[in-house]
Amino acid sequence: MSAPLFRTIGLEKTFGGVVAAKDISIDVMSGERIAIIGSNGAGKTTFVNMVTGYLTPSAGQILFDGHDITGLDPRQTAQAGIRRSFQIAQVFAEMTVLENMLIALIAGQDGRPSARAAITPERIDIARSALDRFGLSVIADTPAGTLPQGTRKQLDIAMAAVGDPRLVLLDEPTSGVSADEKMAMMDTAIAPLDASGATILFIEHDMDVVRRYADRVIAFYEGTVLADGNVAVVLEDEKVRKYVIGDSHA
Amino acid sequence: MMPTLDFRRDHLFVAVLALLVIVGFFLPSWMRFLIQTAMASGLVALGVMLQMRAGLVSFGQGLFFCIGGYAVGLLAAKAGITDVALLLPAAALAALVIGLVLGLLLSRYREIFYAMLTLAVSMILYGLLVKAASLGSTDGFNIPAVSYFGFVPDQAARPDWSYALTGVVVLAGCLGALAYLRSGAGAMLDAVRENEIRLSYLGTSPRVLVFVVYAVAAVLSGLGGGLWAISSGHVDPEMTYWTTSGQFVFVALLAGRGSVVAPVMAYFLLELLRTYALDIAPNAWQLILGSAMLAVIVLLPRGLWSLVARART
Amino acid sequence: MKLVAILLDGLNYSAWLFLVAVGLTLIYGVMRILNIAHGAFYAIGAYVCASALGLYYSAGLPEAGAFLMMGLSALVAGFVVGLLIERVVLRKLYGQDEVIMVLVTYALFLILSDAVKLTWGVESYYVFQPYAYFGYIEFGNLPYQVYDLLVVGLAIVAGIGLWYWLNRTRTGILMTAVVADREVAAAMGVNVTRIFALTFAIGTVLAAVAGAATAPKIAVTPGIGVEVIILAFAVVVIGGLGSIPGAVVGAIFAGYARAICVHVAPQFELFAIYAVMAVVLAIRPHGLFARAEGRKI
């Protein structure tokens, strides 16, 4: 069996005595598609924020591709090959969709500022074909701020996918999206990510979405991992049904 | 919707500015001098505008205007170095060195704290200069006539030469700023203003970008100060007083962030207005200025759109 | 001897700085407006006071009543101008970015500065009588103006009064509620608009009082507000924007920094205050008494 792409060992985060995450040890193999479930306050977002460097863990270790990335900042984790999208889409509202993608390209490739002209025909081609893959071509010249929330989230995910990151974390990709659009949303987001060979972790509340798109589930409860494994097994787990799924249908 | 990252037309604007500079050469001498000082100051306003692209308002850009001016003044009046080939690089270098050092500190700050701290450092220099008797305290000191790459123009030709020098350097400054905005570091300034956290998650450091823009603005402002000193033949601490910096902010605000030539042109407009306003109503100039500023803020929110709608995601 | 001089000068200067700065910090604390026009309100206070005293003395009324006149003129001038500016300009712009509001008040500063020039002309006004009225006392052989002592007293009264008002009166407590959370306060039925108007007027009155108290010590002349505003900025930034105890500490820091420099190294007099400000900001970016606000994603 090959080494995991990503692993956390005994990850812990406390905020002035309040434990937000505790003893999180997870191994993720390359190519897996993992759903993270749990009620609000279960520690899911804290976990994502630690992994991507927004929060520094109080204890524990994060390994990515064999390297210790504990304590790196968001820029460094992004450069290492971990990207994320956000529960509330984080886009550059005044720029067009294409410009948003160009900024994502420039930021990822010129990690340090460079003196070369940033917007080249090649980059515009790359940005356009990426928009194509995510089905956003038609709105390439629309300012991102005028897009509906669902489309904005798609753009957010497309930006996270720029530069073919090895690991992509999607923070509630279907929240704020109407019930009948959720599957379409996931289809357009997951397919191009899969095609690029990215390993995907996504936070999700809708168990139908989880069943359809995940091949493994990690359930969080009160800052720690309650269950981790095969979708069918975890979702039928008695504790998960009681503490996680019961709450999440609210 | 105006594309924020498209500067293809800016080369055209710079060409228009170049044409105006040439036309200016044949204008009456008082008007030509007005253009000359406006261009020098406009370079500083351009520095303020670049920072505004990143959502940062420098309320102390006079610092580098003054550093550039005093670098030229000290070399020419105290050290006997009077050739522009050395004076202007010295002005730019002095501003760059101070800009790099201060930039390390300032790049950590945003919003009102950036404005306050830039103001504080500019006032520190002011406080030092007004007490420096050997530099003429509040009166400053005069600068001898300069030479141009070894050539010393006679008295009558001096204004022609300094005008040409200012025109060439300011145009070069605009082209430099344009190249910077087209580069990765410049193109991402808008993204810094709009959503810094997103930008770092995409793999770049907003702090480094702010550091760079501060240094670039410092160099432009230092050059502007050096040119202003050569043009007027005089420097004084007023150059780093907060009201001078306030004027640069005013012009940058008026000009908007759209084009690199806008601050230069806006500065000329301002100086022209001032000339006539001071004739008609000498005690109402600031009143006019303030009212215009309020009008821009209230009635032209598009020009300020970016600052207003920032970070409301 | 030098030490006594530093202590007394520092005390005077700190008290004056506090008077000048406290209105600024109050307005920022409640309204999130860094008010550059504060300097103009200070100038207006000084001018109105000088004019009022001029009229008073020429009417030949008893000299002691002049102090009442000073207070009254500052109060009325500050209140009227403050309410007017708040109603006509600021109210239309609430909710704008903080940096935009700085530019708005900068514009107001420019406008008011010229309004002062147009109203009072460009000559200087001198009203030294109140300053000379009480004479001086001696510490060792250092003369100390009793008037300066009164300014120290005024600063203490203003500070305690403001504290009492903010912490012990109904309106003051409502005001702190607005500071804590504008929306919640509004939802609870607090009239935020009225609170804002009142806060701004009180801040303006404080600036005018500072100007009036200073008028007998200086030549009241165009441009007196320009330097004052920068000093007041330094004080509130050192203490932490929006904090009243911060303004006390900031005024003492800046006041004594200057006093020490005046007596020990006069060439660094002005430099000292801004240097203290820069050092404090470099170490504690949000000032000594303010908490940093994080951003949630």
Side-chain angles (χ1 to χ4, degrees), chain B residues 36-259:
Chain B
Q36 189 174 332
T37 50
M39 282 194 298
S41 307
L43 217 46
V44 190
L46 174 58
V48 175
M49 180 275 252
L50 292 178
Q51 293 169 80
M52 275 185 179
R53 287 192 76 92
L56 299 166
V57 177
S58 162
F59 236 99
Q61 204 61 22
L63 174 74
F64 297 106
F65 182 59
C66 185
I67 287 171
Y70 270 72
V72 164
L74 286 172
L75 284 178
K78 313 281 173 183
I81 297 168
T82 56
D83 200 286
V84 296
L86 289 174
L87 292 177
L88 284 183
L93 189 68
L96 177 65
V97 170
I98 306 281
L100 290 178
V101 173
L102 290 177
L104 287 177
L105 174 70
L106 276 158
S107 56
R108 287 162 50 200
Y109 296 79
R110 297 294 179 269
E111 298 178 358
I112 213 148
F113 296 97
Y114 188 86
M116 288 295 96
L117 201 58
T118 49
L119 176 75
V121 287
S122 73
M123 289 305 292
I124 286 179
L125 180 63
Y126 179 80
L128 281 177
L129 289 178
V130 294
K131 291 290 176 181
S134 60
L135 298 179
S137 300
T138 48
D139 293 334
F141 58 92
N142 287 330
I143 299 168
V146 296
S147 60
Y148 297 82
F149 299 91
F151 176 75
V152 186
D154 59 40
Q155 180 102 39
R158 271 183 211 154
D160 294 351
W161 281 82
S162 68
Y163 178 82
L165 174 76
T166 307
V168 169
V169 174
V170 169
L171 284 170
C174 287
L175 286 175
L178 187 54
Y180 165 66
L181 285 178
R182 291 163 67 102
S183 77
M188 285 188 283
L189 289 178
D190 286 86
V192 172
R193 183 187 69 246
E194 285 204 46
N195 198 333
E196 226 177 275
I197 291 176
R198 180 43 148 160
L199 195 57
S200 39
Y201 271 116
L202 289 169
T204 203
S205 162
R207 190 174 163 190
V208 172
L209 297 174
V210 171
F211 176 74
V212 172
V213 76
Y214 186 74
V216 169
V219 170
L220 288 171
S221 310
L223 277 175
L227 288 170
W228 195 86
I230 291 170
S231 301
S232 62
H234 181 82
V235 288
D236 62 48
E238 192 79 19
M239 292 176 86
T240 186
Y241 200 57
W242 75 271
T243 49
T244 310
S245 300
Q247 186 149 313
F248 296 133
V249 173
F250 173 80
V251 171
L253 192 74
L254 189 76
R257 303 179 282 105
S259 161

Side-chain angles (χ1 to χ4, degrees), chain A residues 108-233:
Chain A
Q109 293 182 354
D110 299 346
R112 295 271 149 193
S114 82
R116 288 175 296 126
I119 297 175
T120 57
E122 296 79 42
R123 278 193 173 148
I124 292 176
D125 282 347
I126 296 171
R128 280 195 187 283
S129 64
L131 285 179
D132 232 10
R133 284 197 297 280
F134 284 89
L136 297 169
S137 290
V138 283
I139 51 163
D141 296 319
T142 311
T146 65
L147 298 173
Q149 180 64 11
T151 320
R152 230 188 274 199
K153 292 191 82 153
Q154 279 178 304
L155 173 60
D156 192 8
I157 294 169
M159 285 163 78
V162 163
D164 295 338
R166 315 262 306 273
L167 177 67
V168 178
L169 298 107
L170 309 177
D171 191 352
E172 303 201 18
T174 69
S175 77
V177 177
S178 70
D180 42 319
E181 283 175 339
K182 282 186 178 179
M183 297 302 172
M185 169 97 196
M186 288 301 281
D187 279 337
T188 51
I190 295 279
L193 284 172
D194 257 354
S196 74
T199 305
I200 303 167
L201 261 79
F202 64 100
I203 298 178
E204 184 55 62
H205 285 297
D206 187 322
M207 293 308 138
D208 294 336
V209 174
V210 170
R211 277 192 197 91
R212 184 149 162 193
Y213 293 98
D215 43 44
R216 177 178 153 194
V217 175
I218 300 172
F220 276 68
Y221 179 69
E222 292 191 336
T224 188
V225 175
L226 188 67
D228 177 356
N230 180 282
V231 181
V233 176

